Coordinates of all heavy atoms in Angstrom, one line a residue:
L168 N 113.1 116.2 123.9 CA 114.4 115.8 124.4 C 114.4 115.7 126.0 O 115.4 115.3 126.5 CB 115.5 116.8 124.0 CG 115.7 117.0 122.5 CD1 116.8 118.0 122.3 CD2 115.9 115.7 121.8
R259 N 129.6 118.5 132.2 CA 129.8 118.1 133.6 C 130.9 117.1 133.8 O 131.4 116.9 134.9 CB 128.5 117.6 134.2 CG 127.4 118.6 134.5 CD 126.2 118.0 135.2 NE 126.6 117.5 136.5 CZ 125.7 116.9 137.4 NH1 124.5 116.8 137.0 NH2 126.1 116.5 138.6
Q306 N 120.4 98.9 113.5 CA 119.0 98.6 113.6 C 118.1 99.4 112.7 O 116.9 99.1 112.5 CB 118.5 98.7 115.0 CG 119.2 97.7 115.9 CD 118.6 97.8 117.4 OE1 117.4 97.9 117.6 NE2 119.5 97.7 118.3
R321 N 115.3 104.5 92.8 CA 115.7 105.5 91.7 C 114.8 106.7 91.7 O 115.0 107.6 90.8 CB 115.8 104.8 90.4 CG 116.8 103.8 90.2 CD 118.2 104.4 90.3 NE 119.3 103.4 90.2 CZ 119.9 102.8 91.2 NH1 119.6 103.1 92.4 NH2 120.9 101.9 91.0

Side-chain angles (χ1 to χ4, degrees):
L168 304 180
R259 290 186 62 182
Q306 297 181 42
R321 293 295 181 263

